[in-house]
Amino acid sequence: MHAVDFSSRLRVEPRQCYILGKGTGFGKVILFNEHFVVYGLPAIASAVGAKTTALVERHLGSGVEIIDNRPETKGYKAEKLAQQKESLDLMLKFMNIDTRNQAYTVTLAGDLIAASGVGASAASCAAIARAFSDELGLNYSDDRVNEVAYEGEKGYHGTPSGIDNTAATFGGLIWYKREGTSQIMERMKLSRPVDIVMGNTGIVADTKVVVAGVRERKEREPERYAEIFKNADRLARDARRQLEMFSLEEVGNSMDQNHELLQQIEVSSPELDMLVDLARNNGALGAKMTGAGKGGYIVALTPGRDLQERVAHAIEKKGFQAMRTSIGV
Ligand code: PMV
């Protein structure tokens, strides 16, 4: 046996820290037309109450490290580690931030659970863009933050539609559509906020893989998919009218129909279908999977605290996490 010399490992480099940049990004829920939105169809999304926060510190040295203190669905952060790194590199490059002569630490936190389907990646991208802008005095407008977050989303989604980063950056209830390379976002108004419940399957899905699967099947069965896409287009337009007229029964019905279309393009899963049925059986006006699917969350329309509590409780009784929040705030 020989003694081990720990002295070199114990040497602590002085960490000279300058200012601290801060930023936030909203979690989101897609109410209508995830996936279809990738192909230019309209979609409707809303920010939810929970947020991700980012802090950026500058140090002497080089490189960038992320400390991820967000609450998570078990396994999410480990599963997304490589994509998170790729996303950060894309954003730093886009913002022209050189890490060769300056070191940065990015710390993520907040009350948004890092999970599939709640826009966790987009919320973190918007928060990081804002924190770097704050730290380096870049004075980014919301539009610029959104552009940077879109770049970051490419690390997670491959070909993002842009709806997640737009909802994460601007908040509120939005109508979103891609036209070629440009993106149309219109703010929508609800006469008052509406309670919803989001139920978490606890399954971490890979958005890139699920989106690629839709593309593959769409190319294989163009006629069948064209019909489904036509229905999805009409549904989002109807749903916009129903939301703006505050016809919640009809909105719920449209959510049910949207879930069926998502089942038809094979992005739902038995766990998502089970939670959707559970929410409906407990009085939700409508329910659907939300986000990429194959795991992640469902969203149920549950106006009124009693109904919201009943649905959330039923989900929790089955051993799943439920988030009580609202849209149109
Ligand atoms: O699972 P999420 O929250 O990342 O949502 C993905 C939404 C998709 O429509 C499936 C992809 C996209 O880029 O719009």
Side-chain angles (χ1 to χ4, degrees), residues 65-84:
E65 69 167 335
I66 301 185
I67 300 171
D68 197 341
N69 293 333
R70 292 174 298 169
E72 68 164 340
T73 283
K74 205 163 175 288
Y76 177 92
K77 291 194 252 183
E79 176 94 24
K80 303 278 171 178
L81 205 59
Q83 294 184 357
Q84 185 181 52

Side-chain angles (χ1 to χ4, degrees), residues 28 30 33-38 115-121 153 157 159-164 207 211 290-293:
K28 68 95 215 334
I30 299 184
N33 275 0
E34 45 276 274
H35 286 288
F36 301 107
V37 68
V38 173
S116 304
V118 276
S121 58
E153 277 284 90
H157 284 207
T159 53
S161 66
I163 189 168
D164 281 11
T207 304
V211 169
T290 184

